[in-house]
Amino acid sequence: MHLYICTNMLQIPQQQDVADSDGFSPTATTPTDNTFLSVRVPPSPTSKSLDGETLRSRASSFNSDADTTRSRANSETTSTRLRYEGDELTTEEALRPDKANEKDFEVADNPFAFSPGQLNKLLHPKSLAALKALGGIRSLERGLQTDLVAGLSVDETLISDRVSFEEAIRGSKLRTGPFMPHHATVSDDVSRQYQDRKRVFKDNRLPAKKTLSIWALFWNAFNDRILILLTAAAVISLALGIYEAVGQPRLPGQPQSVDWIEGLAILVAVVTVVLVTGLNDYRREKQFAKLNAKKEDRQVKAIRSGKSVLLSVFDIMAGDVLHMESGDTVPADGVLINGYGIKCDEASATGESDALRKTGGEDVSRHISEGTATNKLDPFIISGSNVLEGVGTYLVTSVGVNSSFGKIMMSLQTENEDTPLQIKLAKMANWIGYLGSSAAGLLFVILLIRFLATLSGNTDSAAMKGSAFLDILIVAVTIIVVAVPEGLPVAVTLALSFATKKMLKENNLVRHLRACETMGNATTICSDKTGTLTQNKMTVVAGALGTSINFSRDASAEDEKALNFPAAFQLLSHAARNVLLQSIAINSTAFEGEDEDGKPTFIGSKTEVALLVMAKAQLGMGPVAEERAGAGVVQLIPFDSNRKCMGVVIKLASGSYRLLVKGAAEIMLSKATKELVDVSAEALEERPVPESARLWVSHCITDFAEKSLRTIGMLYRDYPQWPPAGVRTCEDDRTMANFEDVFQDMTFLGVVGIQDPLRDGVTLAVKRCQEAGVVVRMVTGDNVTTATAIATECGIKTPDGLVMEGPKFRQLSDSEMDNILPHLQVLARSSPEDKRILVARLKHLGETVAVTGDGTNDGPALKTADVGFSMGIAGTEVAKEASAIILMDDNFSSIVSAIMWGRSVNDAVAKFLQFQITVNITAVLLAFVSAVASPDSHSVLSAVQLLWVNLIMDTFAALALATDAPTEKILNRKPSPKRAALITTNMWKMIVGQAVYQLVVTFTLYFAGAKILSYDTASNPILKTELDTIVFNTFVWMQIFNEFNNRRLDNHFNIFEGVLKNHFFIVINCIMIGGQIMIIFLGGMAFQIKRIDGSQWAICILCALPCLLWAVLLRCIPDKYAAALFAFVGKIFFAVFTPLWRILSAVFRPVGQAWRAISNAVFPPMTRFAKRGAKKVLRRKANGAGEDRLDEEAVAEKVAPLELRSLRSQQQQSQQQHQQQQQRQNLPPITLTTMD
């Protein structure tokens, strides 16, 4: 029974020869005169295909004008020219390997008739000559040891029956029935399944993009000019310190020099920073690699052992038989077995802009053997293309790296793009770095002038003078290290990495990272109804048979208005029952299969599944495959979202033809002009529909819709011939009638009401969105009554909300749309184009729009929206490809989770930004002022201490603040506008306020601490070191306490809310506290500090702790007053700073140019040397690992066409130009906004 699921789903008649209509039939090839019929193949290898008319020529092929002789049915010999490109080629010539792909033709111990290279000749490019050389689709079936009906056996492991090339060709000619392979070794070990097939043809996975090794990440972390300069200075300082300690004589009683410790400590600190940064990057790379693997996985419908099953796209094998239907993205290369009306969009795979009609492999093989094949015949299914129309099955010939899509993807693997927030923060980080570098440069100049001024009277040795100069350089460079906030982009990446991982657990698969941050600021959601707001578990609960019988699931025996299901369907005669069964079973694309538990079920559209379940229970329907096996399908009209219906034409036993149509009930009723006189009569007698009957049916439809039921109507009409006389036919197939011409004067069969209950919690989810300032709109194809009832039930429709139909909406002008959009809540009877127009107009009004979609035609709307959500269960592959986030459970509540996590990402970045700028201001000013004020030009914060602070800022704080999970309260505020400033007024208030407090405390301790604590620092240098230690310890503890302050971005006081739930935050703060304590007790000379006692510890904690109370006072200041103060101060600052900046720019421009010249002369050679060394190491590893994982560049050189390599080069140049433009952009103005 299951063997007929695939081929007998549609009994497709032998289509008329496509060449016949163009004069290429056998009879047409015999001219009445002595002239020859010449069909030339365009010689250009770059010729474009028009409706499949030509196939791209292969570089090694040629066009011959040699005459060939064909044998005709009338035994006359007729000389004709070539009919398709490569017709004259021998088998050897058609399958000749290209030099770059010779390895694909050589497979050791190959049990199959063909090698991957021979199969690739079918599609690289498309070649009917190669198909002919391989013997056609039947030869492919035997050579791949599969079955076109039953597919691969699920028990196959090793192949024991070997088939040669000649046996496959000869066997395909001798055999007429299906091929049933009995050759596989059976094993219960799933890991050994298809072992030989995987070895020869590989599976459908692409080798993972080469990620950087841990050592390469360490090198990237170190490969920063500032860090390299600091390292060089530290090495020189270490060398001089060692020279002072070992090479210089000491006076009696003079202690051993320990200046070398600072250089060593700086090197250790640099190594620590590099290790932590590299490990952090490594962890992030691994997380994104897992996410990408999940993103590429999807389910496809295949036939194995005669049963239709769902497979992971990664598990497709060469020889598999796959289902294909409208909306699918083709997962692997192959040849069409059979199908109906299949058209594919191959623009993404071949560049062909036209929809290409596909012809079954059997038909193509027949035309080739008869000598009537032309370039119009196209049985080739290319991976990466989209199925626009039709249904069918095809045989997989190439998978993974051997497929067309795989070869292109291997040559175009690129790095992930930065998100908008990352770009914004990178710009801000650059400007903060510029300001910090300017401060460091100014400090260096001041200290250098002082050093040079005292140089003449300095009696120290040359080594000590050099060490003093290096101290100045190290302090200046370290300030640059601290000032440059390289942690800002890292914080975004960490937040996105954490959020996307958590979102996946909550059924949101993020395909594009930018969608995660954008979703947090969404202002409106345009949601589908079916499957998103509802459960997509459809059941027929009511209906009407003809225009007189009403039935309902809830009807009782005493109910006079409606019958129960058994009583209603028992009234149907055999003829009426038969036509109703045909309308449900044959006019359907759903089919039988198995669920995850192995139980029989229907697979396909939930609406069609509901009808099939009803037919099985009430009409006595047998297996769907058997019902369809007895029907001769002549034409199939796929479902179209614009006309809201689908149809099929079958040939009856009487020789007449029957058109069956089902779709939206009110549209079906409008097309019906006849009804059945009596559904109980054996003969199907028809009569015009009286107005009373039409009103009765219309009342039933309205009644069903008011109960939130989806209404589906069914029609039919019999024709004596097909296509009917006088109707238009399709241009590319004259046997196909134009649907609009035959879809009229139909006979009404009945209408059913299908219940799809709301999802649990959807009403609450809609309410939470509305409270968060997000407007929810429902866009559905249902009629107005059904849509209004469901929208009201789930809380979308309010009393003052507007409901409109798609046909009326699309006729509005732009200004009229803009006027009604703020009030529009439901768009019913809408098409995908209506949805796209709605999204575009909302974006024009400044809204941040999220939209859901599941169909192929939803692609434009999903692309237009700021964030597109596709359905993971019901969505087509085209919709998933066009979307930014996939809802794995098709549930609207998951969208609410996406909003929460999106806002959490934005909040995490804002928290870290607020924390880092505060530390930057305090650390730079403290180091600058103390170094200038110190007689020996030493900053109170040494280079090693500043590197520890930098580690706290850029890594630990980023991890701690980026991992706060969102709470329900995050939905209690309105979304931020698109152009909102990164730093709000509240953030500026906290940044400036905390910086002022920290500077006051540290300056007080530094300048007045000795007097306050009664320390005689002049006569006792140890007390001076202790005081400096107190300043350093107090400064670090203020950052630790301020990190808690930054957990809140509003003016509420509870900064500890949810802190116990964030284990990252607790662990990282324990590391920071433990590290600081250990530094104070064990740091010693390395950190230039001294261990302090309990009272001094108390001073540090008591000076740092009040920053928590200070934050409470700052939050009590209204934001509007703070904004006014900042605006006033800003005007004064820029009035003074602008001319000063111009003067400094003019002064330091030559210095900057000299620095760039030195950098360009020194650093590139070092980088090139390091890269060459790294490549050698990687090459050795690759050679040792074998040839399974090909080098990406080698693969690109091997398979990428010239235009693809050119495209990649253009992309790299474009990225470089974009980065240069970003660097040249002016400083953006600071915008002050208030938080609600």
Side-chain angles (χ1 to χ4, degrees):
M1 176 183 71
H2 292 290
L3 299 181
Y4 297 95
I5 293 176
C6 170
T7 57
N8 292 333
M9 186 175 73
L10 293 174
Q11 287 294 324
I12 302 171
Q14 298 290 341
Q15 296 184 7
Q16 181 181 351
D17 184 358
V18 246
D20 291 352
S21 61
D22 296 327
F24 298 123
S25 64
T27 57
T29 57
T30 306
T32 56
D33 55 14
N34 295 327
T35 61
F36 291 108
L37 177 64
S38 177
V39 181
R40 289 188 178 273
V41 178
S44 171
T46 59
S47 59
K48 299 265 182 166
S49 170
L50 297 176
D51 199 22
E53 186 171 357
T54 65
L55 298 176
R56 294 184 178 184
S57 61
R58 193 165 56 249
S60 60
S61 67
F62 58 93
N63 299 323
S64 172
D65 292 333
D67 295 345
T68 58
T69 301
R70 302 289 183 193
S71 177
R72 300 300 174 201
N74 56 8
S75 301
E76 295 180 1
T77 302
T78 306
S79 182
T80 63
R81 302 280 178 144
L82 301 182
R83 294 189 174 277
Y84 59 88
E85 184 177 355
D87 188 13
E88 79 290 353
L89 297 179
T90 65
T91 299
E92 182 180 353
E93 291 171 335
L95 300 179
R96 180 177 297 158
D98 301 325
K99 290 184 179 180
N101 301 324
E102 289 180 348
K103 290 184 179 180
D104 294 340
F105 289 77
E106 302 171 1
V107 179
D109 193 24
N110 187 0
F112 303 98
F114 312 117
S115 65
Q118 290 173 322
L119 295 175
N120 286 344
K121 300 296 281 188
L122 291 170
L123 292 111
H124 301 152
K126 299 177 186 176
S127 174
L128 289 177
L131 182 63
K132 175 185 175 182
L134 293 173
I137 194 168
R138 287 294 178 181
S139 179
L140 292 174
E141 175 190 28
R142 182 171 180 80
L144 290 174
Q145 305 214 36
T146 183
D147 189 271
L148 298 183
V149 177
L152 296 178
S153 170
V154 295
D155 299 322
E156 177 188 321
T157 55
L158 298 175
I159 303 294
S160 57
D161 181 16
R162 298 177 181 274
V163 180
S164 67
F165 185 91
E166 292 74 17
E167 288 173 341
I169 302 296
R170 185 171 60 253
S172 67
K173 294 180 179 178
L174 296 176
R175 183 171 50 83
T176 57
F179 170 65
M180 295 296 294
H182 296 287
H183 52 269
T185 303
V186 179
S187 173
D188 294 332
D189 187 1
V190 179
S191 63
R192 297 184 59 198
Q193 193 177 34
Y194 307 116
Q195 190 170 338
D196 273 340
R197 203 171 292 271
K198 288 180 183 178
R199 177 179 60 83
V200 175
F201 300 108
K202 305 292 189 294
D203 58 16
N204 204 33
R205 288 176 172 83
L206 295 180
K209 184 178 67 174
K210 273 192 174 181
T211 57
L212 295 176
S213 67
I214 186 66
W215 303 109
L217 291 172
F218 287 151
W219 168 250
N220 288 344
F222 176 72
N223 194 17
D224 178 82
R225 295 183 179 183
I226 306 300
L227 273 183
I228 293 174
L229 181 61
L230 184 62
T231 304
V235 169
I236 297 173
S237 176
L238 176 62
L240 289 176
I242 294 175
Y243 177 72
E244 288 181 20
V246 178
Q248 291 292 316
R250 286 180 293 154
L251 297 175
Q254 184 179 3
Q256 179 77 31
S257 175
V258 291
D259 289 348
W260 59 272
I261 293 179
E262 182 179 16
L264 179 62
I266 293 174
L267 290 177
V268 171
V270 169
V271 170
T272 304
V273 170
V274 168
L275 288 176
V276 172
T277 305
L279 291 172
N280 196 17
D281 290 342
Y282 182 75
R283 172 178 168 272
R284 190 178 71 244
E285 288 280 344
K286 289 297 183 183
Q287 284 188 349
F288 281 129
K290 291 180 181 179
L291 178 64
N292 287 333
K294 180 69 176 178
K295 181 176 68 177
E296 298 300 330
D297 193 12
R298 55 189 170 94
Q299 298 288 309
V300 295
K301 300 170 187 175
I303 300 176
R304 287 190 174 174
S305 295
K307 298 180 180 180
S308 293
V309 295
L310 293 177
L311 294 178
S312 167
V313 70
F314 298 139
D315 295 333
I316 298 173
M317 297 287 150
D320 259 321
V321 176
L322 299 184
H323 289 288
M324 57 190 305
E325 60 184 74
S326 176
D328 285 349
T329 297
V330 178
D333 290 345
V335 177
L336 183 65
I337 300 173
N338 57 35
Y340 191 86
I342 292 182
K343 287 185 178 181
C344 292
D345 175 12
E346 298 178 355
S348 61
T350 66
E352 299 287 356
S353 57
D354 297 325
L356 302 181
R357 178 176 288 277
K358 301 298 177 179
T359 308
E362 291 279 14
D363 288 343
V364 173
S365 298
R366 177 172 53 83
H367 283 300
I368 291 176
S369 63
E370 293 175 356
T372 58
T374 70
N375 283 327
K376 278 192 172 183
L377 297 177
D378 185 1
F380 304 110
I381 307 299
I382 298 182
S383 55
S385 60
N386 298 320
V387 182
L388 300 179
E389 297 179 9
V391 295
T393 56
Y394 79 99
L395 173 67
V396 175
T397 58
S398 298
V399 295
V401 295
N402 294 317
S403 66
S404 304
F405 185 70
K407 291 179 181 292
I408 293 175
M409 293 305 295
M410 286 297 295
S411 62
L412 289 180
Q413 287 183 335
T414 57
E415 298 295 326
N416 293 327
E417 295 183 357
D418 289 339
T419 67
L421 189 56
Q422 285 174 320
I423 294 173
K424 285 182 182 179
L425 288 174
K427 292 179 182 178
M428 176 171 286
N430 287 337
W431 280 104
I432 295 174
Y434 293 155
L435 294 174
S437 300
S438 300
L442 182 60
L443 175 63
F444 178 76
V445 170
I446 294 173
L447 297 183
L448 181 62
I449 293 173
R450 178 191 292 178
F451 173 77
L452 295 175
T454 59
L455 193 60
S456 59
N458 193 337
T459 59
D460 293 335
S461 64
M464 295 183 66
K465 291 178 182 178
S467 178
F469 172 76
L470 281 177
D471 288 343
I472 296 173
L473 178 62
I474 288 173
V475 170
V477 173
T478 308
I479 287 179
I480 297 177
V481 173
V482 175
V484 175
E486 63 270 16
L488 285 179
V490 174
V492 184
T493 308
L494 287 172
L496 288 171
S497 172
F498 181 74
T500 50
K501 183 178 179 181
K502 293 294 184 181
M503 288 174 69
L504 184 58
K505 293 181 179 180
E506 298 182 10
N507 299 309
N508 284 278
L509 175 57
V510 180
R511 297 185 68 253
H512 302 299
L513 287 179
R514 65 175 60 211
C516 186
E517 63 189 47
T518 304
M519 194 58 207
N521 297 323
T523 58
T524 184
I525 300 173
C526 299
S527 174
D528 284 343
K529 175 187 72 70
T530 304
T532 308
L533 297 172
T534 60
Q535 296 180 14
N536 204 20
K537 295 179 180 179
M538 299 193 182
T539 308
V540 178
V541 297
L545 301 175
T547 59
S548 58
I549 300 176
N550 192 2
F551 62 92
S552 172
R553 183 182 61 181
D554 301 326
S556 61
E558 296 80 14
D559 194 344
E560 298 180 357
K561 294 184 178 180
L563 301 175
N564 57 33
F565 274 71
F569 284 94
Q570 285 176 3
L571 298 177
L572 295 178
S573 65
H574 177 74
R577 181 184 294 266
N578 186 48
V579 69
L580 187 61
L581 185 58
Q582 290 173 344
S583 185
I584 294 174
I586 301 175
N587 187 18
S588 173
T589 58
F591 55 90
E592 290 170 319
E594 295 181 350
D595 59 16
E596 296 178 353
D597 299 328
K599 298 179 180 178
T601 186
F602 293 111
I603 300 174
S605 164
K606 298 300 182 181
T607 302
E608 296 185 28
V609 167
L611 291 171
L612 289 174
V613 171
M614 182 192 74
K616 187 174 184 178
Q618 306 300 333
L619 298 175
M621 182 186 72
V624 175
E626 294 182 5
E627 297 288 344
R628 292 169 178 167
V633 176
V634 178
Q635 182 173 345
L636 181 70
I637 301 96
F639 178 81
D640 186 275
S641 55
N642 291 316
R643 57 178 175 241
K644 306 293 183 186
C645 64
M646 62 186 296
V648 66
V649 180
I650 59 175
K651 187 175 182 179
L652 303 178
S654 62
S656 61
Y657 297 85
R658 176 169 290 166
L659 169 63
L660 301 161
V661 182
K662 69 181 179 187
E666 63 273 17
I667 296 177
M668 298 298 100
L669 183 60
S670 67
K671 292 292 184 179
T673 59
K674 300 177 182 178
E675 66 168 344
L676 293 176
V677 175
D678 185 1
V679 295
S680 302
E682 287 300 325
L684 297 178
E685 298 183 13
E686 302 170 356
R687 67 181 179 189
V689 179
E691 189 61 28
S692 58
R694 187 178 297 275
L695 290 175
W696 184 84
V697 174
S698 179
H699 174 75
C700 288
I701 294 173
T702 304
D703 183 56
F704 296 158
E706 289 176 348
K707 297 176 182 177
S708 302
L709 304 182
R710 167 173 283 190
T711 55
I712 302 295
M714 289 169 283
L715 309 175
Y716 84 98
R717 182 180 177 182
D718 291 338
Y719 287 92
Q721 67 180 50
W722 197 265
V727 302
R728 293 174 294 172
T729 57
C730 300
E731 293 182 1
D732 49 1
D733 191 345
R734 297 301 179 183
T735 65
M736 304 292 112
N738 184 281
F739 180 69
E740 282 70 23
D741 290 356
V742 297
F743 187 39
Q744 52 189 349
D745 297 330
M746 305 293 292
T747 301
F748 186 78
L749 268 180
V751 62
V752 293
I754 302 177
Q755 184 183 56
D756 186 12
L758 287 180
R759 286 185 177 274
D760 295 335
V762 72
T763 304
L764 176 61
V766 170
K767 183 180 179 182
R768 289 165 65 192
C769 284
Q770 293 168 343
E771 291 174 347
V774 182
V775 178
V776 182
R777 294 177 171 88
M778 188 171 77
V779 184
T780 178
D782 285 341
N783 61 39
V784 172
T785 308
T786 303
T788 304
I790 294 178
T792 303
E793 186 178 355
C794 63
I796 294 176
K797 173 69 173 65
T798 59
D800 57 345
L802 182 63
V803 179
M804 183 173 285
E805 288 185 313
K808 295 180 180 178
F809 174 78
R810 71 178 73 113
Q811 293 174 2
L812 299 176
S813 65
D814 289 346
S815 59
E816 290 174 332
M817 284 187 186
D818 294 345
N819 290 331
I820 65 102
L821 281 179
H823 310 286
L824 181 66
Q825 294 178 341
V826 179
L827 188 61
R829 281 294 173 223
S830 63
S831 67
E833 179 61 16
D834 296 330
K835 183 187 290 187
R836 188 198 65 79
I837 294 173
L838 172 64
V839 171
R841 293 312 302 173
L842 287 170
K843 288 186 66 177
H844 176 74
L845 295 177
E847 303 277 359
T848 301
V849 186
V851 65
T852 67
D854 56 6
T856 302
N857 292 336
D858 287 328
L862 291 169
K863 280 288 188 183
T864 304
D866 294 291
V867 181
F869 286 88
S870 63
M871 304 297 109
I873 300 173
T876 63
E877 296 307 321
V878 174
K880 293 176 184 177
E881 190 65 27
S883 66
I885 299 177
I886 299 176
L887 295 178
M888 305 301 289
D889 60 351
D890 294 6
N891 195 342
F892 184 85
S893 298
S894 298
I895 299 179
V896 180
S897 298
I899 295 175
M900 294 173 62
W901 278 107
R903 293 189 177 187
S904 176
V905 168
N906 293 326
D907 285 358
V909 174
K911 293 172 186 177
F912 180 75
L913 184 62
Q914 180 174 302
F915 174 79
Q916 179 145 41
I917 294 179
T918 305
V919 183
N920 273 2
I921 293 174
T922 310
V924 171
L925 288 179
L926 179 60
F928 185 96
V929 173
S930 60
V932 173
S934 173
D936 54 2
S937 301
H938 281 171
S939 167
V940 68
L941 299 177
S942 68
V944 183
Q945 292 173 5
L946 286 172
L947 288 174
W948 166 244
V949 173
N950 187 65
L951 187 64
I952 292 175
M953 284 195 312
D954 290 338
T955 303
F956 292 149
L959 282 169
L961 295 173
T963 51
D964 265 335
T967 63
E968 295 290 336
K969 294 182 179 179
I970 206 169
L971 297 174
N972 293 340
R973 67 170 191 258
K974 304 299 180 184
S976 302
K978 285 184 177 181
R979 301 190 180 275
L982 284 175
I983 306 178
T984 63
T985 300
N986 185 275
M987 291 171 64
W988 277 119
K989 181 176 65 177
M990 298 302 295
I991 290 169
V992 176
Q994 286 292 336
V996 168
Y997 175 82
Q998 293 179 16
L999 287 172
V1000 168
V1001 172
T1002 51
F1003 283 153
T1004 300
L1005 288 174
Y1006 180 72
F1007 290 105
K1011 184 180 294 186
I1012 296 173
L1013 300 176
S1014 301
Y1015 286 175
D1016 186 6
T1017 57
S1019 59
N1020 191 350
I1022 295 178
L1023 291 177
K1024 178 69 169 88
T1025 305
E1026 289 182 358
L1027 184 59
D1028 290 346
T1029 304
I1030 292 173
V1031 174
F1032 165 63
N1033 196 28
T1034 303
F1035 175 78
V1036 172
W1037 278 97
M1038 282 192 291
Q1039 311 316 317
I1040 294 174
F1041 290 137
N1042 192 39
E1043 190 182 2
F1044 285 86
N1045 283 329
N1046 290 310
R1047 294 189 70 247
R1048 290 206 79 105
L1049 293 172
D1050 51 27
N1051 286 324
H1052 297 289
F1053 299 146
N1054 187 5
I1055 59 175
F1056 300 103
E1057 182 180 3
V1059 69
L1060 296 179
K1061 297 179 181 179
N1062 189 348
H1063 303 297
F1064 265 107
F1065 188 89
I1066 295 173
V1067 170
I1068 289 169
N1069 274 276
C1070 289
I1071 293 173
M1072 290 165 56
I1073 292 171
Q1076 180 63 18
I1077 293 173
M1078 196 163 61
I1079 287 171
I1080 297 299
F1081 278 92
L1082 304 175
M1085 293 299 299
F1087 282 82
Q1088 298 182 14
I1089 59 175
K1090 188 180 184 302
R1091 182 183 299 186
I1092 56 178
D1093 56 27
S1095 61
Q1096 292 168 326
W1097 267 102
I1099 293 172
C1100 297
I1101 300 299
L1102 292 176
C1103 288
L1105 190 61
C1107 73
L1108 299 176
L1109 300 177
W1110 180 247
V1112 173
L1113 295 177
L1114 291 175
R1115 287 188 167 96
C1116 293
I1117 301 174
D1119 288 349
K1120 59 181 180 179
Y1121 296 142
L1125 177 62
F1126 290 144
F1128 175 73
V1129 174
K1131 289 180 181 179
I1132 298 176
F1133 174 79
F1134 283 109
V1136 175
F1137 179 76
T1138 301
L1140 180 61
W1141 176 261
R1142 291 174 181 170
I1143 295 172
L1144 291 175
S1145 298
V1147 172
F1148 288 103
R1149 187 176 292 114
V1151 178
Q1153 293 173 350
W1155 167 251
R1156 282 192 293 271
I1158 295 173
S1159 299
N1160 293 333
V1162 174
F1163 289 109
M1166 295 172 60
T1167 304
R1168 287 195 297 269
F1169 175 77
K1171 286 183 177 179
R1172 283 196 296 269
K1175 285 182 179 178
K1176 289 180 181 178
V1177 173
L1178 291 174
R1179 195 177 296 116
R1180 292 193 194 101
K1181 289 183 178 179
N1183 292 336
E1187 298 180 0
D1188 287 342
R1189 293 179 59 85
L1190 296 175
D1191 182 80
E1192 178 184 346
E1193 294 298 327
V1195 174
E1197 289 293 326
K1198 178 178 178 182
V1199 303
L1202 180 60
E1203 58 269 21
L1204 293 181
R1205 293 198 294 271
S1206 175
L1207 174 62
R1208 185 171 59 181
S1209 176
Q1210 293 174 4
Q1211 289 175 341
Q1212 292 174 349
Q1213 293 176 1
S1214 175
Q1215 290 176 356
Q1216 291 174 358
Q1217 293 174 358
H1218 181 63
Q1219 292 173 356
Q1220 293 173 359
Q1221 290 175 358
Q1222 286 183 348
Q1223 292 174 357
R1224 290 194 293 265
Q1225 285 179 347
N1226 294 327
L1227 175 65
I1230 297 176
T1231 306
L1232 298 177
T1233 59
T1234 56
M1235 291 187 65
D1236 294 331

